[in-house]
Amino acid sequence: MGDDNVNLPPGFRFYPTDQELVVHFLYRKAARLPCHPDFIPDLNMDKFDPWDLEGKALAGDNQWYFFSRRSESHTSPSGYWKSMGADEPVSCDNNLVGVKKSLVFHIGEHPVGTKTNWVMDEYHLLEGATSSRSSRRGGTRKSASREWVLCRVYDRSNGGGDSGGFYDDGAELSCLDEVFLSLDDLDEISLPN
């Protein structure tokens, strides 16, 4: 699971936006719809410390992705996850579809643990987001949308994190990248006679 390429063709990498995580992955999981390719694993977040996710969760750009059953405890073997700031809305076509809750990992006992650079973005569907589809498929649960969350974990000090959907991993530009970026300023290019 920790393989960065996830059987994608060369040049492709897994780097979804918040909207894509909620609409294309979490919604399908909660509604029990097939997701192709199905490469985000199910993990119990309470059983793993963030540094133990390598090889267990889907890895991509110093970030680890996994589904987990919703948990209120947010504990792990070495510490706990503490909420930071307000939940952020996730919208699709001007409709609110979910929320993103950001948490920071603390080593030690709650509430006096030591803050780390590990961050988890936990994505939730809105209440009842899958109820109409679940009832059509014969589902008996009142609210499947509250059963699952999708988690993205990263170490802020290691180049992980949200960059608004753009690739900003601190990598140096290649020679070709520099040539293409210089083309926007055609006045400075002198062509041979």
Side-chain angles (χ1 to χ4, degrees):
M1 277 281 110
D3 188 11
D4 280 333
N5 65 14
V6 192
N7 294 324
L8 295 174
F12 286 86
R13 60 185 176 174
F14 188 71
Y15 198 80
T17 64
D18 293 345
Q19 178 186 33
E20 291 166 338
L21 287 171
V22 171
V23 174
H24 297 290
F25 296 99
L26 182 56
Y27 176 82
R28 296 187 74 74
K29 177 74 168 178
R32 296 187 188 113
L33 296 171
C35 186
H36 301 292
D38 185 14
F39 50 73
I40 299 177
D42 298 346
L43 296 177
N44 181 341
M45 75 171 82
D46 297 340
K47 292 187 178 186
F48 298 99
D49 290 319
W51 50 84
D52 293 331
L53 292 173
E54 184 70 40
K56 295 172 184 69
L58 171 65
D61 285 339
N62 292 320
Q63 299 178 35
W64 291 268
Y65 299 86
F66 60 92
F67 290 111
S68 184
R69 299 264 183 200
R70 189 178 182 121
S71 170
E72 297 301 323
S73 69
H74 290 103
T75 60
S76 78
S78 299
Y80 60 95
W81 293 95
K82 182 178 177 183
S83 183
M84 60 181 210
D87 295 350
E88 293 180 37
V90 178
S91 298
C92 177
D93 299 326
N94 295 323
N95 294 315
L96 188 62
V97 292
V99 292
K100 176 173 82 170
K101 173 182 238 158
S102 294
L103 303 110
V104 174
F105 189 72
H106 290 72
I107 296 174
E109 299 279 329
H110 188 273
V112 293
T114 305
K115 185 177 177 179
T116 69
N117 286 320
W118 288 99
V119 175
M120 176 168 58
D121 292 330
E122 187 179 78
Y123 296 88
H124 300 255
L125 289 173
L126 289 183
E127 182 68 35
T130 61
S131 59
S132 62
R133 179 153 270 181
S134 293
S135 63
R136 280 187 262 147
R137 293 178 51 92
T140 57
R141 290 208 171 101
K142 190 172 186 177
S143 181
S145 62
R146 294 188 50 83
E147 186 176 349
W148 290 99
V149 293
L150 196 157
C151 302
R152 171 176 49 199
V153 176
Y154 56 93
D155 180 353
R156 281 189 294 206
S157 64
N158 197 20
D162 186 23
S163 58
F166 297 99
Y167 300 122
D168 184 18
D169 56 6
E172 293 184 26
L173 296 175
S174 71
C175 292
L176 270 179
D177 290 334
E178 290 179 12
V179 168
F180 285 118
L181 288 173
S182 69
L183 291 178
D184 358 339
D185 200 0
L186 292 176
D187 296 337
E188 294 180 14
I189 298 175
S190 58
L191 299 173
N193 291 334

